[in-house]
Amino acid sequence: MKKNLIKRAIRKAANMVVEETTPLDTNVAEITPYTFRRISRERKRMNLLVPSINPEHVFGGISTALKFFDALISATGYDSRIILVDAAPSEEAKAQYRDRYVFVEPEEDSDENRQIVPYSNRFERSIPVSEKDYFMFTGWWTAFCAQEAYHRFEKECGIRPNPFLNFIQDYEPGFYPWSTRYLLADSSYKDDYPQIAVFNTGLLRDYFIQNGYYFSWMFSFEPVLNATLKKHLDEMKNPVKKKKQILVYGRPGTERNAFNLVVAILKKWVWLQSDVSEWEILSAGETHETVDLGNGKTLRSVGKLTLDEYAKVLEESYAGISLMASPHPSYPPLEMSVFGIKVITNTFANKDLKDFNENIVSLNRISPDVAAQSLNEICDGYQSEISMTKANREYCENQNPFSFLEEIKSILG
């Protein structure tokens, strides 16, 4: 009797363990496969694989990729197809593109010269691909999925891809802790098929080279000041009036922008600054709750500003902090600096922005104590008016950042 009670207790305990176990999530959503089907086509076509064209998503990296894609199509004369892999186009997006592109479903073998194909819902759906199709990637997952699809496609249909164009805007394995996605992102740079790598900045290109990555061809371009910001900069009166205001690039949802470190710096600074009560600290980039910094000061979020609003804040702010744990410089410290803001940023591997212009304070050691002391020195030097000069004219004036397009055209053939 006692043995039976023990057995029942063991079975009950085992059942409880099973019931309380959380199902494993083994899915990697980004690599939901692409499927190609063979078609015949006379004209060459460049395909842009991009997450979304919806206005709320088109900034930063996607915006830069779309600008490059337009310039590439203009230089080559190829037909163009934009394939949306993560988000279906909104009505607002359709309205913006309808005068230039035809929206086509994946099932259609359309011969339109300029197409947009929604492909975020790709269950049992395929994309028509011919020997005249070329593919441009904008993120590691678009590269990985297209490469994987072509390995199957070549075996099934005998179609080998034309050289891929990999538009690389950061070291994407670094977006993740050492993990599955780190390895998948890394693998997208190492595919056997020929790739033309186009890097957003020479600093990023050099980082890849220093870390042993190889591409059949490599090009890079440098950042250029946004046209709307440039217009505001050109219209600013000289000298410029500056408030006792600190602007920080605040993105708590993006680890590489080190928001918690920015806050730690400010919490040190509020006890160093003798006139701290006269200063206002704003956070732009992502909406978040107000952060108590101590000594009566807070970090107030202004969220994601319009370009006109952002230009106004840049014009009136005296000091700034913009960090980036990446070999890419990121745009905010460059933008702040040309608007006369004394901005603190960090070095990373081969990245050091100290020579960009005299307004950038590039710290090799970015501890809260060191950065707070640097911010204190900047704020102690406050001037209510500063004389403006074009700091880094090439960044402000460059009209042709993609000067290598003819070389790419010759490679594509």
Side-chain angles (χ1 to χ4, degrees), residues 51-67:
S52 172
I53 55 167
N54 294 341
E56 64 270 24
H57 303 142
V58 178
F59 58 91
I62 292 180
S63 176
T64 304
L66 287 166
K67 288 175 184 175

Side-chain angles (χ1 to χ4, degrees), residues 69-88:
F69 182 68
D70 285 343
L72 180 64
I73 294 303
S74 179
T76 59
Y78 291 2
D79 288 357
S80 59
R81 180 169 62 173
I82 300 174
I83 302 173
L84 310 176
V85 299
D86 291 345

Side-chain angles (χ1 to χ4, degrees), residues 261-262 264-266 268-269 272 320-326 329 333 342-378:
L261 178 52
V262 171
I265 292 166
L266 291 170
K268 295 277 187 178
W269 170 81
L272 296 176
I321 306 174
S322 183
L323 306 183
M324 182 77 151
S326 159
K342 302 290 186 182
V343 55
I344 293 170
T345 191
N346 60 287
T347 63
F348 186 97
N350 61 305
K351 177 180 73 176
D352 189 343
L353 302 181
K354 69 179 188 300
D355 295 327
F356 184 79
N357 65 38
E358 62 183 10
N359 291 325
I360 288 186
V361 179
S362 178
L363 298 180
N364 189 47
R365 183 168 183 248
I366 195 71
S367 75
D369 279 339
V370 170
Q373 183 62 48
S374 181
L375 183 60
N376 175 228
E377 292 170 5
I378 290 170

Side-chain angles (χ1 to χ4, degrees), residues 43 56 72 84 102 111 115 121 144 173 245-246 251 258 265 279 321 366 402 406:
R43 296 188 302 276
E56 64 270 24
L72 180 64
L84 310 176
V102 175
D111 201 39
Q115 304 177 26
N121 174 19
F144 179 91
Q245 182 168 285
I246 299 168
R251 298 176 77 197
I265 292 166
W279 287 83
I321 306 174
I366 195 71
F402 310 127
E406 286 300 318

Side-chain angles (χ1 to χ4, degrees), residues 20 32 68 221 277 307 321 395:
E20 293 176 2
T32 302
F68 177 82
F221 63 94
S277 63
L307 285 169
I321 306 174
Y395 169 72

Side-chain angles (χ1 to χ4, degrees), residues 199-234:
F199 293 97
N200 187 332
T201 74
L203 286 170
L204 185 60
R205 175 204 60 212
D206 293 346
Y207 180 82
F208 273 74
I209 293 171
Q210 290 169 12
N211 283 275
Y213 290 94
Y214 168 81
F215 298 90
S216 302
W217 303 272
M218 287 189 288
F219 300 92
S220 66
F221 63 94
E222 299 306 320
V224 177
L225 182 63
N226 173 276
T228 301
L229 296 183
K230 182 181 183 305
K231 181 175 181 292
H232 280 272
L233 184 64
D234 290 341

Side-chain angles (χ1 to χ4, degrees), residues 88-101:
S90 64
E91 290 305 315
E92 188 176 357
K94 289 179 180 179
Q96 288 182 5
Y97 282 85
R98 197 170 278 127
D99 62 333
R100 293 175 290 149
Y101 283 88

